[in-house]
Amino acid sequence: MSMKGMEDGQVLSFNQQIIAEFRENEGRCGGMFEGNPMLLMTMTGARSGRQLTSPLTYHRHGDDYVVMASAGGHPSHPAWYHNIVANPQVTLEVGVDVLSAAAVVLEGDERTEAFSAMCEAMPRFGDYQESVDREIPIVALRPTG
């Protein structure tokens, strides 16, 4: 999935459809997301202070849910990334479970290890990194409760 050609409003509408499908089907999505491990992350907007939800593909790495701020290979970081940097306390929906977590941007060896594990499980994520000039942030969502 590439969001390179989508405008902000199109991405929002696309995400709303995924969120609705996720919630209607106990955390499962079909179509292009069939079989992908998906979660919903609700965070506080960095500028608006509103609660915002993003659907994300994740990889389990130890106790962490690891996500990539790839924006589908877009040249800039997704909006959710800026939100979690400003407000790292998030709520996750994984299947039918709801849990609190802290978003931690991984760096150095920790980033390399989590990124490698994610790319091994889902090779397209390595393709996203190769398609952009920026280093795509890898974020560990660490359950806090």
Side-chain angles (χ1 to χ4, degrees):
M1 171 188 78
S2 176
M3 295 186 182
K4 288 181 185 178
M6 294 178 122
E7 300 293 325
D8 287 344
Q10 291 173 308
V11 171
L12 182 61
S13 176
F14 181 73
N15 283 349
Q16 293 304 330
Q17 292 171 18
I18 297 166
I19 291 165
E21 181 179 3
F22 181 99
R23 289 179 173 154
E24 290 168 7
N25 296 293
E26 298 181 338
R28 290 181 304 278
C29 294
M32 67 190 324
F33 298 107
E34 182 77 36
N36 279 6
M38 300 284 294
L39 61 77
L40 300 182
M41 179 176 66
T42 299
M43 75 227 82
T44 303
R47 289 181 290 186
S48 70
R50 294 182 328 196
Q51 293 297 291
L52 305 164
T53 300
S54 291
L56 301 168
T57 297
Y58 72 89
H59 176 71
R60 285 304 300 259
H61 190 69
D63 292 333
D64 296 340
Y65 296 88
V66 176
V67 296
M68 176 185 268
S70 66
H74 196 272
S76 58
H77 298 333
W80 68 257
Y81 174 77
H82 303 288
N83 294 333
I84 61 101
V85 167
N87 302 297
Q89 290 306 122
V90 300
T91 300
L92 305 179
E93 294 174 57
V94 183
V96 296
D97 297 326
V98 178
L99 54 141
S100 296
V104 178
V105 178
L106 301 179
E107 297 181 357
D109 291 343
E110 193 175 26
R111 181 202 182 275
T112 300
E113 182 183 328
F115 177 70
S116 295
M118 190 171 204
C119 291
E120 186 174 317
M122 295 173 274
R124 75 179 179 280
F125 285 103
D127 296 341
Y128 288 150
Q129 181 60 76
E130 291 175 13
S131 73
V132 297
D133 291 331
R134 66 186 172 97
E135 180 177 86
I136 295 176
I138 305 299
V139 179
L141 303 172
R142 298 191 166 141
T144 57

